[in-house]
Amino acid sequence: MKKMLNNISALLLGALALTIVGCSGGNKSSSGALGSNVAERVYVAPGEHDEFYAFVSGGFSGQLAVYGLPSGRLFRVIPVFSVDPEKAYGFNEETKPMLNTSYGFIPWDDAHHPDISQTNGELDGRWVFINGNNTPRIARISLSTFETEEIIEIPNSAGNHSSSFVTENTEYVVAGTRFSVPVPQADISIDEYKGKFKGAMSFIKIDQQTGEMDLSFQIMMPGFNYDLAHPGRGKSHGWMFFTTYNTEEANTLLEVNASQNDKDFIAAVNWKKAEELIAAGEFDVMPTEYAHNIYDESTHTATSTMKTEVRYLDPSKHPGLVYFLPTPKSPHGCDVDPSGEYIVGNGKLSADLTIHSFTKMIDAIENKKFDGEAYGIPILKYDDIVAGVVKQAGLGPLHTEFDEKGNGYTTFFISSEVVKWKLGTWEVIDRQPTFYSVGHLMIPGGNSRKPYGKYALAMNKITKDRYLPTGPELTQSAQLYDISGDKMELLLDFPTIGEPHYAAGIPADMIKGKQTKIYKLEDNNHKYVAKTEKDTKVIRNGNEVHIYMTMIRSHFAPDNIEGIQVGDKVYFHVTNLEQDYDVPHGIAIIGANTSELLIMPGQTETFVWEPKKVGVWPFYCTDFCSALHQEMQGYVRVSPKGSSTPLKWSLDGD
Ligand code: RUQ
Ligand code: CUA
């Protein structure tokens, strides 16, 4: 085992050397690549719009960033799994329930793989889904409000990494566990891992009208690690493919002990069959606990419901539900080409790419070309399912995307490059360095039947000398390549938020025309809305005080409040009365233990203030909204606890 450890260390050290060589040579080759007209090709003139939206995951920031391509300009950071003081997400009373889980309020997660909804295998621009790894969750974000509308927790899962991927008509969003764990959780010895731990694959049904998510069923897989997934499409529609590693079922020193098997598997799951089994009642039910959180656009308020059971299928009991496709060397990415015929497994410790054929897979299943089984799941014969191998393509392949011309583009982490190769002939056509250590790659629509293969976006883990240094922590980065010709051309570097993992891109025309501009006041059903200044008031209920407040250019109503006492819990329910596009107002008060509120036209939001000191305390608008923005302010008088100062409120004496 020592020896094995040494070998692996040698491989990784070699890889490091390669990366560093890449660094020193990098600047030269990149400036060489940047010909005279490159700047023009990413230049979007002032006032002009970009051609694509790119939704780039924030990784350990827990957020989703929205960029324009080709400019690389950052438009918005959508808070998803992490609190965001800029937008009060997770701070105001309305959105706190979004971050509720069976473990209580969780203010952070690790967001990896956005995927845009599809119809007939093509991007449709309704929603984007993204996974939270750490406390397993899936979120749905509206592409007309750019707000997180829903988060569902995934029970029995741990390290929710082979997620969140949509099927061809967004029938399901699929979430696979990374870690296997005892299911249901139990106090058992970690040494009992092998055979006892399970990996849950979750199929979340999507309501086609509302987008609402419902955890339909889980498939309880053997105790491997499940890394990534992609849906079948076209001929392979109805199947979902997951990479596995650690088929050794090691529970310690995985870098060695999970690198023993020459091949791990891609698990091919026939979800249409699973649907039939569920419809026929052939499932078991397990008690569990998970939160389902929905933001309601009419009340501007989220609610959290705790669910208590889940249906599941045991694949060993249902022949035909799952097959294993042997795939070399701890595969990471699992990608399906636009035709649905080819399933690419990227073995992290391999120099080759293995591509399976869906047609051959079906033939092997029908003719029982099996090579044994694992936990009752048939293993297909490797030689009978392989379509081809891209030989010696690079070192450390991670992810593959596709264009519409029959090419695959694979990232190589160790050799820091993107390699373009041809589907069917498996020949390498081009390779371009990345700076440095690329993880994912994104081509708009590159995970669909209809890619828009004009640009590819590489997302890098390491930037070293590429930007101005900023202390020990450097920015991570994306790089834009023009892939419209035979050779890829590097056009642009731009910094990203957090650690970019996957991204999803879409032509801007598909969503920019359907943006919500304001929330209509008449449709505002918030429990504490004040639709006019006449409706504003202050109500005391024991030590709870509710302020129904409004804001409009350039004042609050009321703006003078007296009769608040130390020890009160003061709820500011604030409605923005504006009905014009792009006129938010903010509000903040000294000593509040929350963030500001930033309230869109027609919306109501609430923060809680627990005054601790006697005095007269100002509040103000935090968003520069008009020439008289600095006049948009007010005072709250706080008296000692038990004082007889009467409760009163006013605007200009009324
Ligand atoms: S994983 S590289 Cu979630 Cu590949 Cu990021
Ligand atoms: Cu309202 Cu500044």
Side-chain angles (χ1 to χ4, degrees):
M1 176 160 115
K2 253 281 179 48
K3 185 150 176 259
M4 179 59 102
L5 184 57
N6 287 338
N7 286 344
I8 290 175
S9 306
L11 176 69
L12 293 178
L13 281 179
L16 203 63
L18 242 168
T19 307
I20 289 163
V21 169
C23 290
S24 51
N27 279 340
K28 269 182 231 128
S29 68
S30 68
S31 49
L34 295 183
S36 56
N37 71 341
V38 164
E40 266 166 42
R41 283 146 69 193
V42 298
Y43 181 70
V44 177
E48 301 281 301
H49 287 173
D50 278 280
E51 192 178 345
F52 294 94
Y53 284 98
F55 298 89
V56 180
S57 78
F60 45 66
S61 86
Q63 319 291 46
L64 181 65
V66 188
Y67 296 87
L69 298 182
S71 73
R73 296 181 297 183
L74 174 65
F75 301 139
R76 182 173 167 80
V77 176
I78 303 173
V80 184
F81 297 113
S82 296
V83 295
D84 180 355
E86 181 191 331
K87 302 173 182 72
Y89 182 81
F91 287 97
N92 62 27
E93 295 304 297
E94 287 75 10
T95 56
K96 276 184 191 166
M98 292 300 281
L99 300 177
N100 191 39
T101 71
S102 62
Y103 307 89
F105 179 81
I106 305 272
W108 171 89
D109 217 303
D110 184 14
H112 274 222
H113 313 128
D115 205 11
I116 294 171
S117 56
Q118 299 187 7
T119 302
N120 294 321
E122 297 179 14
L123 302 179
D124 63 23
R126 290 180 288 171
W127 308 293
V128 54
F129 297 88
I130 189 167
N131 59 320
N133 273 321
N134 184 54
T135 303
R137 287 174 276 181
I138 301 289
R140 179 175 57 81
I141 294 138
S142 156
L143 289 182
S144 44
T145 61
F146 282 52
E147 302 274 3
T148 303
E149 286 191 330
E150 188 177 6
I151 293 181
I152 192 165
E153 189 182 351
I154 311 293
N156 300 326
S157 177
N160 173 36
H161 194 259
S162 33
S163 321
S164 49
F165 299 104
V166 303
T167 57
E168 190 164 281
N169 294 296
T170 321
E171 294 96 339
Y172 293 94
V173 169
V174 181
T177 195
R178 169 179 166 192
F179 301 102
S180 283
V181 289
V183 177
Q185 272 293 2
D187 174 21
I188 62 174
S189 164
I190 301 167
D191 287 338
E192 292 182 63
Y193 183 107
K194 205 168 194 155
K196 278 224 174 142
F197 285 35
K198 291 262 171 297
M201 308 289 190
S202 303
F203 287 75
I204 301 155
K205 185 117 196 131
I206 304 302
D207 182 296
Q208 296 304 309
Q209 299 316 313
T210 62
E212 238 181 83
M213 299 188 279
D214 175 38
L215 175 54
S216 183
F217 60 90
Q218 295 188 317
I219 300 180
M220 288 306 162
M221 299 286 287
F224 309 150
N225 284 61
Y226 297 88
D227 212 0
L228 279 150
H230 265 112
R233 55 181 60 100
K235 62 173 81 168
S236 53
H237 177 54
W239 291 78
M240 193 84 198
F241 303 94
F242 297 86
T243 40
T244 71
Y245 65 103
N246 191 23
T247 51
E248 295 85 351
E249 293 179 80
N251 57 281
T252 183
L253 195 62
L254 262 65
E255 63 170 318
V256 175
N257 298 328
S259 304
Q260 303 292 317
N261 291 349
D262 184 48
K263 294 190 179 68
D264 296 280
F265 302 126
I266 286 176
V269 176
N270 185 341
W271 61 258
K272 284 250 162 103
K273 167 117 190 159
E275 255 185 347
E276 286 164 23
L277 291 167
I278 295 292
E282 305 257 327
F283 54 82
D284 291 300
V285 176
M286 183 186 308
T288 185
E289 212 184 17
Y290 63 97
H292 183 202
N293 311 328
I294 303 186
Y295 182 83
D296 181 324
E297 218 181 279
S298 110
T299 59
H300 302 288
T301 302
T303 48
S304 177
T305 315
M306 209 55 74
K307 301 276 182 89
T308 55
E309 58 180 36
V310 65
R311 304 187 287 194
Y312 71 97
L313 298 168
D314 174 349
S316 67
K317 290 192 197 148
H318 300 291
L321 184 58
V322 183
Y323 297 92
F324 284 138
L325 284 51
T327 305
K329 305 278 180 214
S330 303
H332 181 60
C334 181
D335 300 289
V336 179
D337 86 305
S339 75
E341 168 64 8
Y342 297 118
I343 304 133
V344 184
N346 303 305
K348 298 190 290 284
L349 300 176
S350 164
D352 300 335
L353 297 179
T354 305
I355 297 99
H356 298 301
S357 153
F358 179 73
T359 310
K360 287 185 170 183
M361 177 192 105
I362 294 298
D363 179 72
I365 291 169
E366 281 168 1
N367 296 298
K368 300 210 165 19
K369 295 176 181 166
F370 298 153
D371 202 357
E373 45 96 27
Y375 295 100
I377 297 170
I379 301 170
L380 302 180
K381 277 210 179 107
Y382 177 77
D383 291 332
D384 287 315
I385 54 169
V386 169
V389 172
V390 182
K391 288 267 186 226
Q392 298 293 318
L395 264 178
L398 290 186
H399 297 282
T400 300
E401 293 249 309
F402 304 91
D403 65 16
E404 66 280 26
K405 293 176 233 152
N407 301 303
Y409 300 75
T410 301
T411 55
F412 289 82
F413 176 79
I414 298 176
S415 52
S416 262
E417 57 189 339
V418 180
V419 173
K420 175 179 178 181
W421 50 276
K422 189 137 210 77
L423 283 155
T425 67
W426 321 120
E427 65 198 309
V428 170
I429 297 173
D430 187 27
R431 60 177 70 237
Q432 287 297 326
T434 59
F435 306 94
Y436 308 97
S437 299
V438 59
H440 273 275
L441 174 83
M442 182 276 281
I443 294 171
N447 162 38
S448 78
R449 286 172 77 166
K450 188 175 175 192
Y452 302 84
K454 185 165 179 187
Y455 301 112
L457 191 69
M459 285 154 271
N460 302 317
K461 306 299 187 189
I462 295 172
T463 52
K464 290 185 193 281
D465 53 0
R466 298 294 285 187
Y467 296 94
L468 285 176
T470 52
E473 192 189 0
L474 299 174
T475 186
Q476 307 209 17
S477 152
Q479 293 191 290
L480 187 75
Y481 295 82
D482 181 333
I483 57 164
S484 58
D486 286 343
K487 298 279 174 200
M488 299 177 275
E489 270 184 277
L490 177 60
L491 301 180
L492 181 71
D493 278 20
F494 63 89
T496 59
I497 60 152
E499 182 189 2
H501 284 265
Y502 204 18
I506 185 168
D509 288 342
M510 290 181 71
I511 46 183
K512 75 178 189 189
K514 56 168 206 171
Q515 295 304 301
T516 300
K517 294 205 160 85
I518 58 161
Y519 297 100
K520 282 197 191 131
L521 254 188
E522 65 207 59
D523 297 338
N524 182 328
N525 293 315
H526 193 287
K527 196 170 162 208
Y528 294 98
V529 66
K531 293 194 181 180
T532 67
E533 289 184 0
K534 279 200 202 72
D535 302 325
T536 59
K537 59 191 170 186
V538 181
I539 292 184
R540 174 179 286 285
N541 193 346
N543 75 332
E544 267 189 17
V545 179
H546 291 271
I547 303 173
Y548 295 66
M549 183 180 272
T550 61
M551 53 193 355
I552 195 161
R553 279 162 291 180
S554 298
H555 61 267
F556 295 96
D559 67 358
N560 280 211
I561 299 165
E562 301 199 356
I564 305 298
Q565 300 176 8
V566 171
D568 281 347
K569 214 172 172 183
V570 184
Y571 291 83
F572 284 77
H573 306 288
V574 190
T575 302
N576 181 349
L577 297 180
E578 306 282 356
Q579 292 286 271
D580 287 337
Y581 191 27
D582 200 13
V583 194
H585 296 282
I587 180 171
I589 190 164
I590 189 166
N593 300 115
T594 65
S595 69
E596 61 150 1
L597 301 177
L598 185 68
I599 308 172
M600 298 304 126
Q603 203 172 23
T604 305
E605 290 188 16
T606 303
F607 74 91
V608 182
W609 181 52
E610 294 176 84
K612 297 181 182 71
K613 296 180 185 174
V614 167
V616 177
W617 306 105
F619 57 90
Y620 69 99
C621 174
T622 50
D623 185 318
F624 207 107
C625 49
S626 74
L628 296 171
H629 155 79
Q630 286 297 80
E631 280 71 13
M632 193 164 172
Q633 63 173 52
Y635 286 104
V636 179
R637 173 181 170 190
V638 177
S639 305
K641 195 173 178 67
S643 124
S644 56
T645 312
L647 196 61
K648 62 176 191 184
W649 60 94
S650 61
L651 169 69
D652 200 18
D654 293 337

